[in-house]
Amino acid sequence: MDYGMLLLGIVLLITVVGLGASNTERRLGRRLDRMERKLDAIVTQLGVTVEEPGLAEVTALLREGKKIQAIKAYRENTGADLKEARDAVERLA
């Protein structure tokens, strides 16, 4: 038996399965982004204010002109990724 070919087959199988998983994650991420935009639009339309955790610290940092530190604080307090945190901080600014 040629173990090199067997190893190559296993590597290819793992790669294909991994690509499928990342594609699924991307699709779910896009769906979640669409849902968040819709919820943001509804909240804006209703005039509702949504307090997010750690918002006071983020707001204080923005007042001091420390935008990067505000983004970092937002990420730490909410678990948001960099893009989400940057977008949220820019909305607050």
Side-chain angles (χ1 to χ4, degrees):
M1 176 174 236
D2 185 6
Y3 291 108
M5 290 301 288
L6 179 61
L7 182 59
L8 178 62
I10 291 171
V11 169
L12 286 173
L13 179 63
I14 291 171
T15 303
V16 168
V17 169
L19 289 175
S22 63
N23 187 28
T24 300
E25 290 172 6
R26 281 192 298 266
R27 275 189 285 125
L28 289 174
R30 286 192 303 267
R31 288 185 70 191
L32 182 58
D33 287 342
R34 284 194 307 269
M35 290 173 56
E36 287 177 346
R37 282 194 304 272
K38 289 176 184 179
L39 285 173
D40 287 342
I42 291 169
V43 165
T44 301
Q45 182 67 31
L46 294 175
V48 176
T49 328
V50 179
E51 280 295 318
E52 297 193 34
L55 192 58
E57 178 186 5
V58 173
T59 305
L61 288 167
L62 280 174
R63 276 191 220 117
E64 296 172 14
K66 299 178 178 178
K67 188 174 181 180
I68 293 173
Q69 289 88 344
I71 293 170
K72 182 179 178 184
Y74 187 91
R75 290 186 71 190
E76 290 171 354
N77 288 314
T78 64
D81 66 21
L82 181 59
K83 183 183 181 324
E84 292 170 337
R86 188 189 75 221
D87 291 346
V89 168
E90 287 181 0
R91 281 193 305 267
L92 292 171

Coordinates of all heavy atoms in Angstrom, one line a residue:
M1 N 0.8 -1.2 0.0 CA 0.0 0.0 0.0 C 0.9 1.2 0.0 O 1.9 1.3 0.7 CB -0.9 0.0 1.2 CG -1.7 1.2 1.4 SD -2.9 1.1 2.7 CE -4.4 1.4 1.9
D2 N 0.5 2.2 -0.8 CA 1.3 3.5 -0.9 C 0.7 4.4 0.2 O -0.3 5.0 0.0 CB 1.1 4.0 -2.3 CG 2.0 5.3 -2.5 OD1 2.8 5.6 -1.6 OD2 1.9 5.9 -3.6
Y3 N 1.5 4.6 1.3 CA 1.1 5.5 2.3 C 1.1 7.0 1.9 O 0.3 7.8 2.5 CB 1.9 5.3 3.6 CG 1.7 3.9 4.2 CD1 2.6 2.9 4.1 CD2 0.5 3.7 4.9 CE1 2.4 1.7 4.7 CE2 0.2 2.5 5.4 CZ 1.2 1.4 5.4 OH 0.9 0.2 5.9
G4 N 1.9 7.3 1.0 CA 2.0 8.7 0.5 C 0.6 9.1 -0.1 O 0.1 10.2 0.1
M5 N 0.1 8.2 -0.9 CA -1.2 8.5 -1.6 C -2.3 8.5 -0.5 O -3.2 9.3 -0.6 CB -1.5 7.4 -2.7 CG -0.6 7.5 -3.9 SD -0.7 9.2 -4.7 CE -2.3 9.0 -5.4
L6 N -2.3 7.6 0.4 CA -3.3 7.6 1.5 C -3.2 8.9 2.3 O -4.2 9.5 2.6 CB -3.0 6.4 2.4 CG -4.0 6.3 3.6 CD1 -5.4 6.1 3.1 CD2 -3.5 5.1 4.5
L7 N -2.0 9.4 2.6 CA -1.8 10.6 3.3 C -2.4 11.8 2.5 O -3.0 12.7 3.0 CB -0.4 10.8 3.7 CG 0.0 12.1 4.5 CD1 -0.8 12.1 5.8 CD2 1.5 12.2 4.7
L8 N -2.0 11.8 1.2 CA -2.5 12.9 0.3 C -4.1 12.9 0.3 O -4.7 13.9 0.3 CB -2.0 12.7 -1.1 CG -2.4 13.7 -2.1 CD1 -2.0 15.1 -1.7 CD2 -1.9 13.3 -3.5
G9 N -4.7 11.7 0.2 CA -6.1 11.6 0.2 C -6.7 12.2 1.5 O -7.7 12.9 1.5
I10 N -6.1 11.8 2.6 CA -6.6 12.3 3.9 C -6.5 13.9 4.0 O -7.4 14.6 4.4 CB -5.9 11.7 5.1 CG1 -6.3 10.2 5.1 CG2 -6.2 12.4 6.4 CD1 -5.4 9.4 6.1
V11 N -5.4 14.4 3.5 CA -5.2 15.8 3.5 C -6.2 16.5 2.6 O -6.8 17.5 3.0 CB -3.7 16.2 3.1 CG1 -3.6 17.7 2.9 CG2 -2.7 15.8 4.2
L12 N -6.5 16.0 1.5 CA -7.5 16.5 0.6 C -8.8 16.5 1.2 O -9.6 17.4 1.1 CB -7.4 15.8 -0.8 CG -6.3 16.1 -1.7 CD1 -6.3 15.2 -2.9 CD2 -6.3 17.6 -2.1
L13 N -9.2 15.4 1.8 CA -10.5 15.3 2.5 C -10.7 16.3 3.6 O -11.7 17.0 3.7 CB -10.7 13.8 3.0 CG -12.0 13.6 3.8 CD1 -13.1 13.7 2.8 CD2 -11.9 12.2 4.4
I14 N -9.6 16.5 4.4 CA -9.7 17.5 5.5 C -9.9 18.9 4.9 O -10.6 19.7 5.4 CB -8.5 17.4 6.4 CG1 -8.5 16.1 7.2 CG2 -8.4 18.6 7.3 CD1 -7.3 15.7 7.9
T15 N -9.1 19.1 3.8 CA -9.2 20.5 3.1 C -10.6 20.7 2.6 O -11.2 21.8 2.8 CB -8.2 20.6 2.0 OG1 -6.9 20.3 2.5 CG2 -8.2 21.9 1.4
V16 N -11.2 19.7 1.9 CA -12.6 19.9 1.4 C -13.6 20.1 2.5 O -14.4 21.0 2.4 CB -12.9 18.7 0.5 CG1 -14.4 18.7 0.1 CG2 -12.1 18.7 -0.8
V17 N -13.5 19.3 3.5 CA -14.4 19.5 4.7 C -14.2 20.8 5.3 O -15.2 21.5 5.7 CB -14.2 18.3 5.7 CG1 -15.0 18.6 7.0 CG2 -14.7 17.0 5.1
G18 N -13.0 21.3 5.5 CA -12.7 22.6 6.1 C -13.3 23.7 5.2 O -13.8 24.7 5.8
L19 N -13.1 23.6 3.9 CA -13.7 24.7 3.0 C -15.2 24.7 3.1 O -15.8 25.8 3.1 CB -13.2 24.4 1.6 CG -11.8 24.7 1.3 CD1 -11.4 24.3 -0.1 CD2 -11.4 26.1 1.5
G20 N -15.8 23.6 3.2 CA -17.3 23.5 3.4 C -17.7 24.2 4.6 O -18.7 24.9 4.7
A21 N -17.0 24.0 5.7 CA -17.4 24.6 7.0 C -17.2 26.1 7.0 O -18.0 26.8 7.5 CB -16.5 24.0 8.1
S22 N -16.1 26.5 6.4 CA -15.9 28.0 6.3 C -16.9 28.7 5.4 O -17.3 29.8 5.7 CB -14.5 28.3 5.9 OG -14.3 27.9 4.5
N23 N -17.4 28.0 4.4 CA -18.4 28.5 3.5 C -19.7 28.7 4.3 O -20.4 29.7 4.2 CB -18.6 27.6 2.3 CG -19.5 28.2 1.3 OD1 -19.7 29.5 1.2 ND2 -20.2 27.4 0.5
T24 N -20.0 27.7 5.1 CA -21.2 27.7 5.9 C -21.1 28.8 6.9 O -22.1 29.6 7.1 CB -21.4 26.4 6.7 OG1 -21.5 25.3 5.7 CG2 -22.6 26.4 7.5
E25 N -20.0 29.0 7.5 CA -19.8 30.1 8.5 C -19.9 31.4 7.8 O -20.5 32.3 8.4 CB -18.4 30.0 9.1 CG -18.3 28.8 10.1 CD -16.8 28.6 10.6 OE1 -16.0 29.5 10.3 OE2 -16.6 27.6 11.3
R26 N -19.4 31.6 6.6 CA -19.6 32.9 5.9 C -21.0 33.1 5.6 O -21.5 34.3 5.8 CB -18.8 32.8 4.6 CG -17.3 33.1 4.8 CD -16.6 33.3 3.5 NE -16.7 32.2 2.6 CZ -15.8 31.2 2.4 NH1 -14.7 31.3 3.2 NH2 -16.0 30.3 1.6
R27 N -21.8 32.1 5.2 CA -23.2 32.3 4.9 C -24.0 32.7 6.2 O -24.8 33.6 6.1 CB -23.8 31.0 4.3 CG -23.6 30.9 2.8 CD -24.4 29.8 2.2 NE -23.8 28.6 2.5 CZ -24.4 27.5 3.1 NH1 -25.6 27.6 3.4 NH2 -23.7 26.4 3.4
L28 N -23.7 32.0 7.3 CA -24.3 32.4 8.5 C -24.0 33.8 9.0 O -24.8 34.5 9.5 CB -24.0 31.4 9.6 CG -24.6 30.0 9.4 CD1 -24.0 29.0 10.5 CD2 -26.1 30.0 9.5
G29 N -22.7 34.1 8.8 CA -22.3 35.5 9.1 C -23.0 36.6 8.3 O -23.4 37.6 8.9
R30 N -23.2 36.3 7.0 CA -23.9 37.2 6.2 C -25.4 37.4 6.6 O -25.9 38.5 6.7 CB -23.8 36.8 4.7 CG -22.4 37.1 4.1 CD -22.5 37.0 2.6 NE -22.9 35.7 2.1 CZ -22.1 34.6 1.8 NH1 -20.8 34.7 2.0 NH2 -22.7 33.5 1.4
R31 N -26.0 36.2 6.9 CA -27.4 36.3 7.4 C -27.5 37.0 8.7 O -28.4 37.8 8.9 CB -27.9 34.8 7.6 CG -28.2 34.1 6.3 CD -28.8 32.8 6.5 NE -30.2 33.0 6.9 CZ -30.9 32.0 7.4 NH1 -30.5 30.8 7.5 NH2 -32.2 32.3 7.8
L32 N -26.6 36.8 9.6 CA -26.6 37.5 10.9 C -26.4 39.0 10.7 O -27.1 39.8 11.3 CB -25.5 37.0 11.8 CG -25.4 37.6 13.2 CD1 -26.7 37.4 13.9 CD2 -24.3 37.0 14.0
D33 N -25.5 39.4 9.7 CA -25.3 40.8 9.4 C -26.6 41.4 8.9 O -26.9 42.6 9.3 CB -24.2 41.0 8.4 CG -22.8 40.7 8.9 OD1 -22.6 40.8 10.2 OD2 -21.9 40.5 8.1
R34 N -27.3 40.7 8.0 CA -28.6 41.3 7.5 C -29.6 41.4 8.6 O -30.3 42.4 8.7 CB -29.1 40.3 6.4 CG -28.4 40.4 5.1 CD -29.2 39.8 3.9 NE -29.5 38.4 4.2 CZ -28.8 37.3 3.9 NH1 -27.6 37.5 3.3 NH2 -29.2 36.1 4.2
M35 N -29.7 40.4 9.5 CA -30.6 40.5 10.6 C -30.3 41.7 11.5 O -31.2 42.4 12.0 CB -30.6 39.2 11.4 CG -31.2 38.1 10.7 SD -31.1 36.5 11.5 CE -31.8 36.8 13.1
E36 N -29.0 41.9 11.8 CA -28.6 43.0 12.6 C -29.0 44.4 12.0 O -29.4 45.3 12.7 CB -27.1 43.0 13.0 CG -26.8 41.9 13.9 CD -25.3 41.8 14.2 OE1 -24.5 42.4 13.4 OE2 -24.9 41.1 15.2
R37 N -28.7 44.5 10.7 CA -29.1 45.7 10.0 C -30.6 46.0 10.1 O -31.0 47.1 10.3 CB -28.6 45.7 8.5 CG -27.1 45.9 8.4 CD -26.8 46.2 6.9 NE -27.2 45.1 6.0 CZ -26.4 44.1 5.7 NH1 -25.3 43.9 6.3 NH2 -26.9 43.2 4.9
K38 N -31.4 44.9 9.9 CA -32.8 45.1 10.0 C -33.3 45.5 11.4 O -34.1 46.4 11.6 CB -33.5 43.8 9.6 CG -33.4 43.5 8.1 CD -34.0 42.1 7.8 CE -33.8 41.8 6.3 NZ -34.4 40.5 6.0
L39 N -32.7 44.9 12.4 CA -33.0 45.2 13.8 C -32.6 46.7 14.1 O -33.3 47.4 14.8 CB -32.3 44.3 14.8 CG -33.0 42.9 14.9 CD1 -32.1 42.0 15.8 CD2 -34.4 43.0 15.5
D40 N -31.4 47.1 13.6 CA -31.0 48.5 13.8 C -32.0 49.4 13.1 O -32.3 50.5 13.7 CB -29.6 48.7 13.2 CG -28.5 48.1 14.0 OD1 -28.7 47.8 15.2 OD2 -27.4 47.9 13.5
A41 N -32.5 49.1 11.9 CA -33.5 49.9 11.3 C -34.7 50.0 12.1 O -35.3 51.1 12.2 CB -33.7 49.4 9.8
I42 N -35.2 48.9 12.6 CA -36.4 48.9 13.4 C -36.2 49.8 14.7 O -37.1 50.6 15.0 CB -36.8 47.4 13.8 CG1 -37.2 46.7 12.6 CG2 -37.9 47.4 14.9 CD1 -37.4 45.2 12.8
V43 N -35.1 49.6 15.3 CA -34.8 50.4 16.5 C -34.8 51.9 16.2 O -35.4 52.7 16.9 CB -33.5 49.9 17.2 CG1 -33.0 50.9 18.2 CG2 -33.7 48.5 17.8
T44 N -34.2 52.2 15.1 CA -34.1 53.6 14.7 C -35.5 54.1 14.4 O -35.8 55.2 14.8 CB -33.2 53.8 13.5 OG1 -31.9 53.3 13.8 CG2 -33.1 55.2 13.0
Q45 N -36.3 53.4 13.6 CA -37.6 53.8 13.3 C -38.5 54.0 14.5 O -39.3 55.0 14.6 CB -38.2 52.7 12.3 CG -39.6 53.1 11.9 CD -39.6 54.3 10.9 OE1 -38.7 54.5 10.2 NE2 -40.7 55.0 10.9
L46 N -38.3 53.1 15.5 CA -39.2 53.3 16.7 C -38.6 54.3 17.7 O -39.3 54.7 18.6 CB -39.2 51.9 17.4 CG -40.0 50.8 16.7 CD1 -39.9 49.5 17.4 CD2 -41.4 51.2 16.4
G47 N -37.4 54.8 17.4 CA -36.8 55.7 18.3 C -36.4 55.2 19.7 O -36.3 55.9 20.7
V48 N -36.1 53.9 19.7 CA -35.7 53.2 20.9 C -34.2 53.3 21.1 O -33.5 53.3 20.2 CB -36.1 51.7 20.9 CG1 -35.7 51.0 22.1 CG2 -37.6 51.6 20.7
T49 N -33.8 53.5 22.4 CA -32.4 53.5 22.7 C -32.0 52.2 23.3 O -32.7 51.8 24.2 CB -32.1 54.7 23.7 OG1 -32.9 55.8 23.5 CG2 -30.7 55.1 23.5
V50 N -31.0 51.6 22.8 CA -30.5 50.3 23.3 C -29.2 50.5 24.0 O -28.2 50.9 23.4 CB -30.4 49.3 22.2 CG1 -29.9 47.9 22.7 CG2 -31.7 49.1 21.4
E51 N -29.2 50.3 25.3 CA -28.0 50.4 26.1 C -27.2 49.2 25.9 O -27.7 48.1 26.1 CB -28.3 50.6 27.6 CG -28.6 52.0 27.9 CD -27.5 53.0 27.7 OE1 -26.4 52.7 28.1 OE2 -27.8 54.1 27.2
E52 N -25.9 49.3 25.5 CA -25.1 48.2 25.4 C -24.1 48.2 26.5 O -23.7 49.2 27.1 CB -24.4 48.2 24.0 CG -25.3 48.2 22.9 CD -24.7 47.9 21.5 OE1 -23.6 47.2 21.5 OE2 -25.2 48.5 20.5
P53 N -23.6 47.0 26.9 CA -22.7 46.9 28.0 C -21.4 47.6 27.8 O -20.9 47.6 26.7 CB -22.4 45.4 28.2 CG -22.9 44.7 26.9 CD -23.9 45.7 26.3
G54 N -20.9 48.3 28.8 CA -19.7 49.1 28.7 C -19.8 50.3 27.9 O -18.7 50.9 27.6
L55 N -21.0 50.8 27.6 CA -21.1 52.0 26.8 C -20.6 53.2 27.5 O -20.1 54.1 26.8 CB -22.6 52.1 26.4 CG -23.0 53.1 25.3 CD1 -22.2 52.7 24.0 CD2 -24.4 53.1 25.1
A56 N -20.7 53.3 28.8 CA -20.3 54.5 29.5 C -18.8 54.7 29.3 O -18.3 55.8 29.0 CB -20.6 54.4 31.0
E57 N -18.0 53.6 29.4 CA -16.6 53.7 29.2 C -16.2 54.1 27.8 O -15.3 54.9 27.6 CB -16.0 52.3 29.6 CG -14.5 52.3 29.4 CD -13.9 50.9 29.6 OE1 -14.6 49.9 29.8 OE2 -12.6 50.8 29.5
V58 N -16.9 53.5 26.9 CA -16.7 53.8 25.4 C -17.0 55.3 25.2 O -16.2 56.0 24.5 CB -17.5 52.9 24.5 CG1 -17.4 53.3 23.1 CG2 -17.1 51.4 24.7
T59 N -18.1 55.7 25.7 CA -18.5 57.1 25.5 C -17.4 58.1 26.1 O -17.1 59.1 25.5 CB -19.9 57.4 26.1 OG1 -20.8 56.5 25.5 CG2 -20.3 58.8 25.8
A60 N -17.0 57.7 27.3 CA -15.9 58.6 28.0 C -14.7 58.6 27.1 O -14.1 59.7 27.0 CB -15.7 58.0 29.4
L61 N -14.2 57.5 26.6 CA -13.0 57.5 25.8 C -13.2 58.3 24.5 O -12.3 59.0 24.1 CB -12.7 56.0 25.4 CG -12.1 55.2 26.6 CD1 -12.1 53.7 26.3 CD2 -10.7 55.7 27.0
L62 N -14.4 58.2 23.9 CA -14.7 59.0 22.7 C -14.6 60.5 23.0 O -14.1 61.3 22.2 CB -16.1 58.7 22.1 CG -16.1 57.4 21.3 CD1 -17.6 57.1 20.9 CD2 -15.2 57.6 20.1
R63 N -15.1 60.9 24.2 CA -15.1 62.3 24.6 C -13.7 62.8 24.7 O -13.4 64.0 24.5 CB -15.8 62.6 25.9 CG -17.3 62.7 25.7 CD -18.0 63.2 27.0 NE -19.2 62.5 27.1 CZ -19.6 61.7 28.1 NH1 -18.8 61.5 29.1 NH2 -20.7 61.1 28.1
E64 N -12.8 61.9 25.1 CA -11.4 62.2 25.3 C -10.6 62.2 24.0 O -9.4 62.4 23.9 CB -10.7 61.3 26.3 CG -11.3 61.4 27.7 CD -10.7 60.3 28.6 OE1 -9.7 59.6 28.3 OE2 -11.3 60.1 29.7
G65 N -11.3 61.8 22.9 CA -10.7 61.7 21.6 C -9.8 60.4 21.4 O -9.0 60.3 20.5
K66 N -10.1 59.4 22.2 CA -9.4 58.1 22.1 C -10.2 57.1 21.4 O -10.7 56.1 22.1 CB -9.0 57.7 23.6 CG -8.1 58.7 24.3 CD -7.8 58.2 25.7 CE -6.9 59.2 26.4 NZ -6.6 58.7 27.8
K67 N -10.3 57.2 20.1 CA -11.2 56.4 19.4 C -10.7 54.9 19.3 O -11.5 54.0 19.5 CB -11.3 56.9 17.9 CG -12.3 56.2 17.1 CD -12.5 56.9 15.7 CE -13.5 56.2 14.9 NZ -13.7 56.8 13.6
I68 N -9.4 54.7 19.2 CA -8.9 53.3 19.1 C -9.1 52.6 20.5 O -9.5 51.5 20.5 CB -7.4 53.4 18.7 CG1 -7.3 53.8 17.3 CG2 -6.8 52.0 18.9 CD1 -5.9 54.1 16.8
Q69 N -8.9 53.4 21.6 CA -9.1 52.8 22.9 C -10.6 52.5 23.1 O -11.0 51.5 23.8 CB -8.6 53.7 24.0 CG -7.1 53.7 24.1 CD -6.5 54.8 23.2 OE1 -7.2 55.3 22.3 NE2 -5.2 55.1 23.4
A70 N -11.5 53.3 22.5 CA -12.9 53.1 22.6 C -13.3 51.9 21.9 O -14.2 51.1 22.4 CB -13.7 54.4 22.1
I71 N -12.7 51.7 20.7 CA -13.0 50.4 20.0 C -12.6 49.2 20.7 O -13.3 48.2 20.8 CB -12.4 50.5 18.6 CG1 -13.0 51.6 17.7 CG2 -12.5 49.1 17.9 CD1 -12.3 51.9 16.4
K72 N -11.4 49.3 21.3 CA -10.9 48.2 22.1 C -11.8 47.9 23.3 O -12.1 46.7 23.6 CB -9.5 48.5 22.6 CG -8.8 47.4 23.4 CD -7.4 47.7 23.8 CE -6.8 46.6 24.6 NZ -5.5 46.9 25.1
A73 N -12.2 48.9 24.0 CA -13.1 48.8 25.2 C -14.4 48.2 24.7 O -15.0 47.3 25.4 CB -13.3 50.1 25.9
Y74 N -14.9 48.6 23.6 CA -16.2 48.1 23.1 C -16.1 46.6 22.8 O -16.9 45.8 23.2 CB -16.6 48.8 21.8 CG -18.0 48.4 21.4 CD1 -19.1 49.1 21.8 CD2 -18.2 47.4 20.5 CE1 -20.4 48.8 21.4 CE2 -19.5 47.0 20.1 CZ -20.6 47.7 20.5 OH -21.8 47.3 20.1
R75 N -15.0 46.2 22.2 CA -14.7 44.8 21.9 C -14.6 44.0 23.2 O -15.2 42.9 23.3 CB -13.4 44.6 21.1 CG -13.5 45.1 19.7 CD -12.3 44.8 18.9 NE -12.3 43.4 18.6 CZ -11.3 42.7 18.1 NH1 -10.2 43.4 17.8 NH2 -11.3 41.4 17.9
E76 N -13.9 44.5 24.2 CA -13.8 43.7 25.4 C -15.1 43.6 26.2 O -15.3 42.5 26.8 CB -12.7 44.4 26.3 CG -11.3 44.3 25.8 CD -10.4 45.2 26.6 OE1 -10.8 46.0 27.4 OE2 -9.1 45.1 26.3
N77 N -15.9 44.6 26.1 CA -17.2 44.6 26.9 C -18.3 43.8 26.2 O -19.2 43.3 26.8 CB -17.7 46.0 27.1 CG -16.8 46.7 28.2 OD1 -16.5 46.1 29.2 ND2 -16.4 47.9 27.9
T78 N -18.2 43.7 24.8 CA -19.3 43.1 24.1 C -19.0 41.8 23.4 O -19.8 41.0 23.0 CB -19.9 44.1 23.0 OG1 -18.9 44.3 22.1 CG2 -20.4 45.4 23.6
G79 N -17.7 41.6 23.2 CA -17.2 40.4 22.5 C -17.4 40.5 21.0 O -17.3 39.6 20.2
A80 N -17.6 41.8 20.5 CA -17.8 42.1 19.1 C -16.4 41.9 18.4 O -15.4 42.1 19.0 CB -18.3 43.5 18.9
D81 N -16.5 41.6 17.1 CA -15.2 41.6 16.3 C -14.8 43.0 16.0 O -15.5 44.0 16.3 CB -15.3 40.7 15.1 CG -16.3 41.2 14.0 OD1 -16.6 42.4 14.0 OD2 -16.7 40.4 13.2
L82 N -13.7 43.2 15.3 CA -13.1 44.5 15.1 C -14.1 45.4 14.2 O -14.3 46.5 14.6 CB -11.8 44.4 14.4 CG -11.1 45.7 14.1 CD1 -10.9 46.5 15.4 CD2 -9.7 45.5 13.4
K83 N -14.6 44.8 13.2 CA -15.5 45.6 12.3 C -16.8 46.0 13.0 O -17.2 47.2 12.9 CB -15.9 44.8 11.1 CG -16.7 45.6 10.1 CD -17.2 44.7 8.9 CE -18.0 45.4 7.9 NZ -18.9 46.4 8.3
E84 N -17.4 45.1 13.8 CA -18.6 45.5 14.5 C -18.3 46.6 15.5 O -19.1 47.5 15.7 CB -19.1 44.2 15.3 CG -19.7 43.2 14.4 CD -20.0 41.9 15.1 OE1 -19.4 41.7 16.2 OE2 -20.8 41.1 14.6
A85 N -17.2 46.4 16.2 CA -16.8 47.4 17.2 C -16.6 48.8 16.6 O -17.0 49.8 17.1 CB -15.6 47.0 18.0
R86 N -15.8 48.8 15.5 CA -15.5 50.1 14.8 C -16.8 50.7 14.3 O -17.0 51.9 14.5 CB -14.6 49.8 13.6 CG -14.1 51.1 13.0 CD -13.4 50.9 11.7 NE -14.3 50.5 10.7 CZ -14.2 49.6 9.8 NH1 -13.2 48.9 9.7 NH2 -15.2 49.4 8.9
D87 N -17.7 49.9 13.7 CA -19.0 50.5 13.3 C -19.8 51.1 14.4 O -20.4 52.1 14.3 CB -19.8 49.4 12.5 CG -19.1 49.0 11.2 OD1 -18.2 49.8 10.7 OD2 -19.5 48.0 10.6
A88 N -19.8 50.3 15.5 CA -20.6 50.8 16.7 C -20.0 52.1 17.3 O -20.8 53.0 17.6 CB -20.7 49.7 17.7
V89 N -18.7 52.1 17.4 CA -18.1 53.3 17.9 C -18.3 54.5 17.0 O -18.5 55.6 17.5 CB -16.6 53.0 18.2 CG1 -15.8 54.3 18.5 CG2 -16.5 52.1 19.4
E90 N -18.2 54.3 15.7 CA -18.4 55.4 14.8 C -19.9 55.9 14.8 O -20.1 57.1 14.7 CB -18.1 54.9 13.3 CG -16.6 54.8 13.2 CD -16.1 54.4 11.8 OE1 -17.0 54.2 10.9 OE2 -14.9 54.3 11.6
R91 N -20.8 55.0 15.1 CA -22.2 55.4 15.3 C -22.3 56.3 16.5 O -23.1 57.2 16.5 CB -23.2 54.2 15.3 CG -23.5 53.6 14.0 CD -24.7 52.6 14.1 NE -24.5 51.6 15.1 CZ -23.9 50.4 14.9 NH1 -23.6 50.0 13.7 NH2 -23.8 49.5 15.8
L92 N -21.6 55.9 17.5 CA -21.7 56.7 18.8 C -21.0 58.1 18.7 O -21.4 59.0 19.4 CB -21.0 55.9 19.9 CG -21.7 54.7 20.4 CD1 -20.9 53.9 21.4 CD2 -23.1 55.0 21.0
A93 N -19.9 58.1 17.9 CA -19.1 59.4 17.8 C -19.9 60.5 17.2 O -20.9 60.4 16.5 CB -17.9 59.1 16.9

